[in-house]
Amino acid sequence: MTWTPMSTVEGLPLIGGQGRFRTLARAEGGLAYEIRYPAGVASPVHSHDHDSIVYLLSGSLRGTLDGREVALEAGGTIVHPRGVPHSVEAVADSQWVEFKTPPPSRPPIGG
């Protein structure tokens, strides 16, 4: 599986640099990405047409979920429900697996 540079999320540019991603698996009901952000990289506030379940493998993330401040440490999980505005920022170099269901109608992340 090849890592791809990531500079956008839902068509919006990342803040503070680039991340990387790779597709882990695809199924009729969804897909899974592995994503890495170096410390200081963040997504802008965005929402999407699918639910995302994030499992943080390493690092530390903070952000917002429907206007509330949230934090996630390694081993933690958070859900970004479809249509709910949220943002993510890597406090430390961070790596996570993100499951998206149903499959997004268009690529949600890109280079």
Side-chain angles (χ1 to χ4, degrees), residues 80-105:
H80 297 145
R82 74 188 77 191
V84 175
H86 60 277
S87 64
V88 175
E89 179 183 359
V91 177
D93 291 352
S94 299
Q95 183 171 344
W96 65 93
V97 173
E98 191 162 329
F99 301 95
K100 297 182 174 291
T101 185
S105 59

Side-chain angles (χ1 to χ4, degrees), residues 35-42 54-63 70-76 78 87-96:
I35 300 172
R36 292 180 179 173
Y37 278 12
V41 171
V54 173
Y55 175 74
L56 187 59
L57 298 167
S58 63
S60 178
L61 299 173
R62 69 178 168 211
V70 294
L72 194 63
E73 298 298 324
I78 193 167
S87 64
V88 175
E89 179 183 359
V91 177
D93 291 352
S94 299
Q95 183 171 344
W96 65 93

Side-chain angles (χ1 to χ4, degrees), residues 14-63:
L14 292 180
I15 301 162
Q18 282 193 341
R20 295 188 298 160
F21 76 97
R22 62 184 176 176
T23 303
L24 296 178
R26 293 180 188 274
E28 185 176 325
L31 62 88
Y33 289 120
E34 186 172 4
I35 300 172
R36 292 180 179 173
Y37 278 12
V41 171
S43 72
V45 174
H46 64 283
S47 63
H48 32 70
D49 65 353
H50 53 271
D51 295 324
S52 289
I53 301 168
V54 173
Y55 175 74
L56 187 59
L57 298 167
S58 63
S60 178
L61 299 173
R62 69 178 168 211

